[in-house]
Amino acid sequence: MLKLQKLSASYVHPGLPPPTDSIHGIVIGGGDDIEPSHYGALGDAGAEYDPERDAMEMRMIELGLKYNIPMLGICRGAQLINVVHGGNLHQDIRPLRQKTPNKNTIFPIKEAFLEPLTRLRETLQKDQVRINSLHNQAVNQLGKGLVIAAKDADGFVQAIECPHRDFLVGVQWHPEYMPYSKTQRRLFAVFGAAIRRFRNEHP
């Protein structure tokens, strides 16, 4: 059985100097839409962007890729991982949805269907999981080296991963809002185990 063990964490944002301590794991969380110019598109009127955060988090992702640091992307974080790998995004999936709700909520509202033989399927030990939905954008063209790990009923990508790294997973939903779910806690437990392995190998 996997057990959650406390790991120290530091929050990084553009207003702070770069971290000076050793980095053993990276979480890229949710937030504003990603500036479309990063994936060769034009911006939508009314969308909110944070170019300084984009630049900082893209540097963090590139650092993680360079040193094979365990990395978890959540919502915007999963999208940004895809963009750094050369992929692009649906800028607004709301008009395209037919089988899944447009409502944004932290509570489980739809299903994610996990692809067989993926790390995420192995991690969550389920073929499908109930997930929440807090996004209007989604992965469109997949970045180089990534694979799709889950989709929803409309076929939109709900998770991506890199099979050639110890732990590089991006999920479109917000597992941190579902701590009551053993399945979602397991995702963080496996991520934590990857961090400890990396820390032991790179003290």
Side-chain angles (χ1 to χ4, degrees), residues 10 24 26 53 58 103 121 154 162 176 184 187 193:
S10 298
H24 300 114
I26 297 172
R53 180 181 174 183
M58 291 174 79
K103 180 181 178 181
R121 169 65 182 79
D154 279 316
C162 181
E176 75 277 18
Q184 304 300 331
L187 175 61

Side-chain angles (χ1 to χ4, degrees), residues 6 9 25 35-36 38 42 46 48 54 61-62 83 87-88 101 108 112 126 132 153 155 164 175 179 181 187 198 202:
K6 186 175 181 180
E35 170 61 55
H38 292 309
L42 298 175
E48 294 185 5
D54 286 350
I61 292 170
E62 289 165 354
V83 168
N88 63 24
K126 291 180 178 293
N132 52 25
H164 307 299
S181 167
L187 175 61
F198 185 86
H202 304 83

Side-chain angles (χ1 to χ4, degrees), residues 18-34:
T20 56
D21 295 336
S22 297
I23 299 172
H24 300 114
I26 297 172
V27 177
I28 307 292
D32 293 332
D33 290 349
I34 297 164

Side-chain angles (χ1 to χ4, degrees), residues 7-10 12 19 21-29 56-74 77-78 80-81 165 167-170 188 191-192 194-196 198:
L7 296 167
S8 61
S10 298
V12 181
D21 295 336
S22 297
I23 299 172
H24 300 114
I26 297 172
V27 177
I28 307 292
M56 181 205 71
E57 291 184 340
M58 291 174 79
R59 288 195 299 270
M60 293 299 297
I61 292 170
E62 289 165 354
L63 177 71
L65 296 175
K66 180 178 180 179
Y67 294 103
N68 199 24
I69 299 171
M71 189 159 24
L72 174 63
I74 296 174
L80 197 59
I81 287 171
R165 295 182 179 273
F167 193 99
L168 175 54
V169 173
F188 288 112
F191 176 50
I195 292 174
R196 286 186 287 274
F198 185 86

